[in-house]
Amino acid sequence: YNNSIFVLMCIHAPRILPLGVVVAVGPGLRTQDGKIVPTVVKNGDNVLLPEFGGNEIKIDNQSFFLYREDDILGVVSKD
């Protein structure tokens, strides 16, 4: 399987689950027969992240975190 990876900017706060905003999304998960399963999260979604995990990268001195979609705990409604 070729898992898509998401780039998220994570905002950490003590003793609560980290929140992030999705800033880029891959095309989706490729199945064994080559079909693409689209992602559920979209650019701009606010998401709950696990306390540990993700891979930090820096672009132009700004930190971003890479997560797989199945690592995301949920999408937070903006309502």
Side-chain angles (χ1 to χ4, degrees), residues 3-79:
N3 290 326
S4 295
I5 296 180
F6 303 91
V7 180
L8 303 168
M9 187 165 68
C10 182
I11 303 167
H12 290 282
R15 296 187 176 222
I16 62 170
L17 286 175
L19 291 174
V21 177
V22 178
V23 295
V25 178
L29 176 71
R30 185 176 304 275
T31 64
Q32 289 180 339
D33 61 355
K35 295 180 182 176
I36 298 290
V37 178
T39 60
V40 175
V41 296
K42 304 177 288 307
N43 288 354
D45 280 351
N46 293 310
V47 293
L48 285 174
L49 303 169
E51 187 174 352
F52 301 103
N55 294 303
E56 183 177 10
I57 62 169
K58 290 195 178 197
I59 301 173
D60 295 329
N61 291 324
Q62 189 172 6
S63 290
F64 294 89
F65 292 83
L66 302 176
Y67 287 89
R68 293 179 186 203
E69 185 172 48
D70 58 350
D71 291 335
I72 296 171
L73 301 176
V75 177
V76 179
S77 175
K78 294 179 182 179
D79 297 334

